[in-house]
């Protein structure tokens, strides 16, 4: 009775563990590609219109009603589960630190950065609270400058975080396109000039201003998408613009080998039952540009990349040094072993971008390099005196030997040895003299009866 209960307990434990593994695989087979929309508000000279109902309506239409193509369909720019941040940009001529140029807006205890609103909450914020947000005082001081030409880079760099995992990042910038009333293209000269007039000991220079921009442009292309206007029908009012961009990661030609050490090909080792064993060594290279998020590994019978993770896939969320083992059918139908990886892009200033292997992920996010097909090289069948059939049959009694070639060599040694033994026994039998020794039972005495 005790043995039966122990068996039932082990069986239930086995089913539970396997169920947990299957649930984890199904639930995490693809990390959601969440959008992050950054609303960057020009806080130098835009207060006349920046908090207007028209500005809020333009943003609402863009975030809640505009659809974005993701390569496998269309979805709204902002949907439930996505993130939104509101950033104000402005700098004073007396400042010497560009880190205060763009900052998340809001009270100190509740910054509007990486807020995961529902569409209803975001609609309420833009409809009823927008004026209070846009018109709040931001970085007051001596003579504010917009620096519109670098606002896109600094808006992204101001939102550094290792927590959110972002699939695509967009920018909605509200600006009058003026640099303190000057020409747009001379803004990098006017600010240092004004600072020199103030006799600052450590004034900002063009090199300091653009150093952060160079970092951003090393990892991202800021792609222009569209522009809408505000108050364009008012003759004596400042004009506003709602500019729409996407931060496109420059990872199109990324290779997984930059982050993960994996084999260029895999040898399939034949087992005694006819199936093949694959051994896959994997290790993390420690590249500081990337953070490991997830990996899936599975046999693939197709020459094309598979985006739907099969049940037999091995999935893990941490990687050090490991070796995975797979057993594939004897018909050699499996052509390659597919590796699918999700990595965080550690650019040093944003750190939220997810490089995704999902089918709907843009190629610029490294999708092609994150789906790797490692070809399988099947070892040839061993032969015994040129016969593969004899080698297959002969390995069955020697199933404890892992190597089919070793098993074949053992039989190539054993067969002659057995033949020699049989011949010696036969010769011995023929050469040995045999003597006939009768026994009493071999004789029969017939008694003649007399009458």
């Amino acid at each position: 009775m005790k043995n039966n209960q122990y068996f039932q307990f082990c069986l239930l434990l086995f089913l539970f563990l396997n169920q947990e593994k299957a649930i984890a695989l199904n639930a995490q087979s693809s990390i959601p590609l969440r959008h992050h929309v950054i609303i960057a508000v020009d806080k130098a000279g835009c207060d006349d219109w920046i908090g207007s109902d028209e500005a809020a309506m333009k943003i609402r239409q863009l975030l809640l009603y505009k659809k974005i193509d993701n390569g496998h369909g269309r979805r709204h720019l902002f949907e439930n589960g996505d993130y939104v941040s509101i950033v104000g940009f402005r700098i004073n001529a007396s400042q010497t630190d560009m880190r205060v140029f763009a900052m998340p807006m809001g009270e100190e205890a509740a910054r509007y950065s990486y807020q995961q609103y529902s569409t209803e909450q975001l609609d309420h914020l833009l409809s009823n609270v927008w004026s209070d947000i846009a018109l709040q005082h931001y970085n007051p001081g001596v003579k504010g400058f917009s620096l519109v030409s670098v606002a896109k880079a600094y808006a992204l760099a101001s939102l550094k975080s290792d927590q959110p995992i972002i699939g695509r990042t967009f920018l909605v910038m509200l600006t009058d396109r003026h640099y303190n009333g000057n020409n747009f293209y001379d803004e990098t000269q006017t600010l240092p000039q004004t600072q020199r007039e103030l006799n600052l000991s450590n004034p900002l220079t063009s090199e300091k201003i653009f150093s952060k921009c160079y970092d951003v442009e090393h990892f991202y292309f800021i792609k222009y998408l569209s522009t809408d206007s505000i108050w364009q029908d008012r003759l004596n009012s400042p004009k506003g613009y709602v500019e729409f961009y996407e931060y496109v990661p420059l990872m199109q030609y990324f290779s997984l080998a930059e982050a993960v050490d994996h084999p260029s090909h895999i040898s399939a080792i034949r087992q005694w039952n006819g199936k093949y064993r694959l051994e896959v060594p994997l290790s993390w290279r420690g590249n500081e540009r990337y953070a490991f998020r997830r990996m899936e590994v599975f046999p693939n019978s197709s020459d094309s990349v598979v985006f739907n993770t099969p049940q037999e896939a091995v999935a893990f969320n941490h990687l050090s040094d490991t070796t995975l083992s797979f057993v594939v059918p004897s018909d050699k139908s499996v052509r390659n072993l597919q590796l699918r990886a999700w990595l965080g892009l550690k650019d040093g200033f944003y750190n939220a971008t997810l490089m995704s292997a999902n089918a709907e992920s843009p190629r610029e996010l490294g999708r092609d390099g994150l789906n790797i097909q490692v070809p399988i090289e099947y070892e040839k069948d061993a032969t015994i005196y040129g016969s593969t059939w004899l080698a297959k049959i002969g390995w069955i009694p020697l199933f404890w030997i892992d190597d089919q070639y070793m098993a074949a060599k053992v039989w190539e040694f054993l067969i002659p040895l057995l033949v020699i033994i049989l011949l010696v026994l036969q010769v011995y039998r023929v050469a040995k003299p045999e003597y006939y020794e009768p026994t009493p039972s071999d004789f029969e005495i017939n008694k003649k009866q007399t009458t």
Side-chain angles (χ1 to χ4, degrees):
M1 183 65 181
K2 290 184 177 180
N3 290 337
N4 188 32
Q5 292 177 342
Y6 177 78
F7 173 78
Q8 291 178 351
F9 171 78
C10 292
L11 180 60
L12 290 174
L13 180 62
F14 174 80
L15 293 175
F16 173 78
L17 293 175
N18 277 272
Q19 182 182 18
E20 286 294 304
K21 181 179 179 181
I23 291 174
L25 179 60
N26 292 334
Q28 302 179 12
S29 60
S30 59
I31 300 177
L33 294 179
R34 304 191 187 281
H35 286 185
H36 179 205
V37 182
I38 303 170
I39 304 175
V41 182
D42 188 345
K43 296 299 294 177
C46 297
D47 286 347
D48 288 336
W49 61 269
I50 204 79
S52 67
D53 292 339
E54 185 179 355
M57 180 188 67
K58 299 284 187 181
I59 301 174
R60 286 178 63 251
Q61 290 176 342
L62 188 59
L63 268 64
L64 300 177
Y65 299 103
K66 184 176 182 62
K67 288 195 173 183
I68 301 295
D69 187 4
N70 64 5
H72 288 262
R74 296 177 65 83
R75 55 151 292 179
H76 289 99
L77 176 60
F78 185 91
E79 296 182 353
N80 293 337
D82 290 339
Y83 298 93
V84 67
S85 297
I86 304 176
V87 176
F89 62 94
R90 178 183 187 269
I91 196 168
N92 300 327
S94 61
Q95 290 175 333
T96 61
D97 190 352
M98 279 296 293
R99 287 180 296 180
V100 300
F101 171 62
M103 296 176 61
M105 299 176 67
E107 299 297 329
E108 187 66 33
R111 296 285 185 182
Y112 293 106
S113 59
Y114 296 110
Q115 295 296 321
Q116 209 166 14
Y117 295 122
S118 67
T119 53
E120 292 77 13
Q121 290 173 316
L122 183 61
D123 185 50
H124 174 77
L125 182 145
L126 294 175
S127 301
N128 303 319
V129 192
W130 173 251
S131 179
D132 294 336
I133 298 172
L135 296 178
Q136 65 181 271
H137 289 292
Y138 177 77
N139 195 23
V142 179
K143 195 175 183 181
F145 291 85
S146 295
L147 288 177
V148 178
S149 64
V150 300
K152 295 183 285 293
Y154 274 85
L156 184 69
S158 67
L159 293 166
K160 181 177 180 180
S161 176
D162 294 325
Q163 298 304 319
I165 298 176
I166 308 300
R168 296 176 71 178
T169 303
F170 299 90
L171 173 69
V172 178
M173 188 163 71
L174 283 76
T175 177
D176 58 2
R177 291 182 174 173
H178 288 176
Y179 169 73
N180 201 40
N182 297 302
N183 184 282
F184 176 79
Y185 295 99
D186 69 355
E187 60 181 27
T188 58
Q189 300 298 323
T190 306
L191 177 59
Q193 179 182 346
T194 306
Q195 290 184 314
R196 286 193 296 270
E197 294 173 357
L198 294 173
N199 294 320
L200 296 182
S201 59
N202 187 24
L204 285 169
T205 64
S206 298
E207 290 75 14
K208 290 181 180 179
I209 293 172
F210 280 102
S211 61
K212 182 64 68 174
C213 300
Y214 295 148
D215 292 339
V216 175
E217 292 169 358
H218 179 74
F219 289 95
Y220 298 90
F221 167 67
I222 303 175
K223 180 181 178 181
Y224 168 78
L225 297 176
S226 65
T227 298
D228 205 345
S229 58
I230 300 174
W231 283 12
Q232 293 300 308
D233 56 343
R234 301 192 182 189
L235 296 178
N236 299 318
S237 298
K239 306 299 188 289
Y241 300 89
V242 181
E243 300 180 354
F244 184 34
Y245 300 88
E246 180 176 3
Y247 295 96
V248 180
L250 299 176
M251 296 288 117
Q252 179 173 346
Y253 301 106
F254 168 81
S255 173
L256 185 58
E258 294 183 34
V260 177
D261 190 6
H262 61 83
S264 59
H265 67 278
I266 301 173
S267 298
I269 308 302
R270 185 173 174 270
Q271 297 181 298
W272 68 271
N273 58 4
K275 296 182 179 180
Y276 290 87
R277 185 182 73 255
L278 309 177
E279 299 288 341
V280 190
L282 299 171
S283 62
W284 181 248
R285 287 188 178 274
N287 193 326
E288 295 181 354
R289 283 191 175 184
Y290 309 102
F292 187 86
R293 302 295 186 201
R294 181 176 176 82
M295 178 173 282
E296 299 170 356
V297 185
F298 54 89
N300 185 2
S301 300
S302 171
D303 290 328
S304 303
V305 171
V306 175
F307 289 104
N308 296 323
T309 304
Q311 287 293 330
E312 64 270 19
V314 175
F316 42 93
N317 299 322
H318 302 281
L319 177 63
S320 53
D321 292 333
T322 185
T323 299
L324 304 179
S325 296
F326 294 89
V327 176
V328 297
S330 58
D331 58 5
K332 302 181 181 180
S333 58
V334 176
R335 298 176 179 271
N336 57 76
L337 199 72
Q338 184 169 330
L339 280 61
R340 306 188 68 212
W342 287 259
L343 305 177
L345 180 58
K346 306 290 286 185
D347 47 45
F349 50 86
Y350 185 49
N351 287 356
T353 296
L354 174 68
M355 299 173 59
S356 173
N358 290 14
E360 63 272 23
S361 176
R363 295 183 62 194
E364 291 81 6
L365 275 172
R367 181 194 64 198
D368 295 346
L370 293 167
N371 287 283
I372 298 296
Q373 290 179 300
V374 181
I376 295 175
E377 297 179 355
Y378 288 89
E379 69 174 5
K380 296 180 179 179
D381 292 340
T383 62
I384 297 178
Y385 303 120
S387 171
T388 58
W389 177 83
L390 187 60
K392 292 178 181 179
I393 298 300
W395 198 2
I396 295 176
L398 302 176
F399 63 88
W400 64 87
I401 299 179
D402 290 334
D403 192 318
Q404 62 169 331
Y405 299 105
M406 178 62 69
K409 288 186 177 297
V410 169
W411 278 113
E412 287 182 342
F413 171 78
L414 287 178
I415 290 176
L417 181 62
L418 292 174
V419 171
I420 291 173
I421 292 175
L422 290 175
L423 289 174
V424 169
L425 290 175
Q426 184 65 23
V427 170
Y428 175 76
R429 182 180 178 184
V430 171
K432 180 182 178 182
E434 296 183 357
Y435 300 95
Y436 175 68
E437 296 181 0
T439 62
S441 62
D442 292 336
F443 297 92
E444 181 179 355
I445 300 174
N446 293 326
K447 296 182 179 179
K448 184 181 285 186
Q449 295 181 357
T450 58
T451 57

